[in-house]
Amino acid sequence: MVKKSTQENSTNINNLETNEYQNKNIKTTDVNILLNRVRLDRKKILKKRILISSIFLFLLSSFIAYMII
């Protein structure tokens, strides 16, 4: 009887440890995915800002050239 309960307890502890390890891996992976998404979003925003700024500068310089001529 005593041996049986001890074996059950040790298996339960092993299962809990395994579940905790798997949960930590999933959380770490989720954080990495979120960080990568943030980096990609920053790159997209930077590209948009550069594109909009260059279009604005082109239009402004075109307008100034038109006014001079």
Side-chain angles (χ1 to χ4, degrees), residues 2 19 22 24 41-42 47 52 57:
V2 174
N19 285 340
Q22 288 173 350
K24 285 181 183 179
D41 287 346
R42 284 183 182 171
K47 287 180 182 178
I52 290 172
L57 286 174

Side-chain angles (χ1 to χ4, degrees), residues 16-68:
L16 286 175
E17 289 174 355
T18 305
N19 285 340
E20 283 181 24
Y21 180 73
Q22 288 173 350
N23 285 341
K24 285 181 183 179
N25 280 340
I26 290 172
K27 287 179 185 178
T28 303
T29 303
D30 290 343
V31 169
N32 286 334
I33 289 171
L34 290 173
L35 287 174
N36 287 336
R37 186 178 302 159
V38 167
R39 287 185 195 122
L40 290 175
D41 287 346
R42 284 183 182 171
K43 285 182 183 179
K44 285 180 185 178
I45 291 172
L46 181 64
K47 287 180 182 178
K48 285 180 185 178
R49 286 181 181 169
I50 290 173
L51 180 66
I52 290 172
S53 298
S54 61
I55 290 173
F56 176 73
L57 286 174
F58 174 74
L59 291 174
L60 184 64
S61 62
S62 298
F63 179 73
I64 290 173
Y66 177 74
M67 294 305 276
I68 291 174

